[in-house]
Amino acid sequence: MTVNRAATWLEILWRGLYPPRCALCGAPGTPEHDLCAPCRRDLPALGAACSRCARPLPIAGICGACQQQAPPQHYTFSPFRYAPPLDYLLLQLKFHGKLHLAPLLGQLTAEYLEQRVHPLPECIIPVPLHPTRLRERGFNQALELARPVAKQLKIPIHYKAVQRQRNTARQSELPRQERKRNLRGAFALNNTLTARHVAIMDDVLTTGHTVAELTKTLRRGGAQMVEVWTCARVLPL
Ligand SMILES: [Zn+2]
Ligand SMILES: [Zn+2]
């Protein structure tokens, strides 16, 4: 209780010294976000989507592809389409080390999840990077996004639950048909999974192969319900 109150006072003091600025245009932010109200409205909301894979649909439900062959995860939640101006923020975070954007993007994701995910999973497992990739980048964007989400939803992060045991080629550099094979056996559990309901966190859902492979690993380890949470979803071609 005391700790929470101290944190709140520190936040108030911090906000007084550094009032929020819009991460997109530099105008004063709103009290809730480091975004101005017009830029917040410009973010590309995903809208109605398939509950299993987050593919946009005219009305919420299960898409045709998932009805034919469902992905291993039970649910996928993504507040945004991967489109301007949100893609700019995600690229700045991931490839330009703008870590101060992670609280904003995580907070926007958490606000979306809060409205939709019931019951909440027991823990969040960010998609791990291979140690070599982690050394190159210096941080894992999935973990940085998971932190504010975990804080807002009050669930723990189990970052060490799983590791990337092969340094797979970048998915974007591979022909479409090789992407799935590239990830086979990419993940391994570090210890026994105690949670039965877990959420995988990543920044962007592209083909879905990475989260599908991680989901399979978690399900083999005893997870009974696996959700995928990402900030944005690339629209299928
Ligand atoms: Zn703005
Ligand atoms: Zn679907």
Side-chain angles (χ1 to χ4, degrees):
M1 191 70 192
T2 323
V3 172
N4 282 343
R5 199 172 296 148
T8 310
W9 276 108
L10 268 175
E11 277 164 19
I12 290 167
L13 183 67
W14 184 262
R15 287 285 183 185
L17 289 169
Y18 302 98
R21 291 254 149 220
C22 177
L24 282 165
C25 74
T30 60
E32 304 84 41
H33 300 121
D34 292 345
L35 275 180
C36 70
C39 285
R40 172 70 186 89
R41 281 195 296 274
D42 276 351
L43 295 184
L46 185 72
C50 172
S51 61
R52 284 207 80 139
C53 74
R55 183 189 298 259
L57 290 175
I59 49 164
I62 309 261
C63 75
C66 287
Q67 281 180 27
Q68 286 204 334
Q69 193 183 10
Q73 73 268 22
H74 299 87
Y75 294 99
T76 300
F77 292 100
S78 251
F80 301 109
R81 284 179 286 121
Y82 188 73
L86 184 86
D87 54 354
Y88 168 79
L89 296 175
L90 283 161
L91 287 168
Q92 288 291 312
L93 167 66
K94 188 169 178 174
F95 295 112
H96 299 276
K98 300 281 170 65
L99 288 175
H100 68 275
L101 294 173
L104 168 66
L105 294 166
Q107 191 189 357
L108 292 166
T109 307
E111 285 165 12
Y112 179 87
L113 294 169
E114 243 168 2
Q115 302 297 317
R116 287 164 180 81
V117 181
H118 306 285
L120 287 170
E122 292 154 73
C123 67
I124 302 177
I125 299 180
V127 173
L129 288 180
H130 188 271
T132 310
R133 187 74 53 84
L134 185 61
R135 265 197 305 278
E136 284 166 12
R137 191 172 293 161
F139 62 94
N140 176 347
Q141 72 284 354
L143 172 62
E144 297 308 320
L145 283 172
R147 288 187 213 278
V149 173
K151 187 177 168 200
Q152 197 153 326
L153 302 183
K154 301 186 177 65
I155 42 178
I157 297 174
H158 286 187
Y159 186 50
K160 302 275 185 215
V162 60
Q163 61 162 313
R164 205 147 184 154
Q165 55 183 0
R166 284 197 300 113
N167 195 8
T168 51
R170 281 176 215 273
Q171 288 290 90
S172 54
E173 290 165 4
L174 290 175
R176 185 170 281 267
Q177 60 274 23
E178 280 176 34
R179 291 181 180 179
K180 217 172 184 170
R181 199 172 25 184
N182 177 44
L183 287 159
R184 219 161 273 162
F187 301 103
L189 284 171
N190 281 329
N191 35 44
T192 318
L193 197 65
T194 50
R196 290 290 165 265
H197 180 189
V198 302
I200 293 171
M201 182 95 214
D202 208 355
D203 52 345
V204 180
L205 184 76
T206 311
T207 61
H209 295 327
T210 306
V211 290
E213 186 63 30
L214 181 52
T215 299
K216 285 186 211 159
T217 305
L218 295 171
R219 287 184 68 171
R220 277 197 297 270
Q224 284 161 7
M225 172 77 79
V226 180
E227 311 195 2
V228 170
W229 295 352
T230 68
C231 181
R233 195 212 201 280
V234 173
L235 296 201
L237 297 174

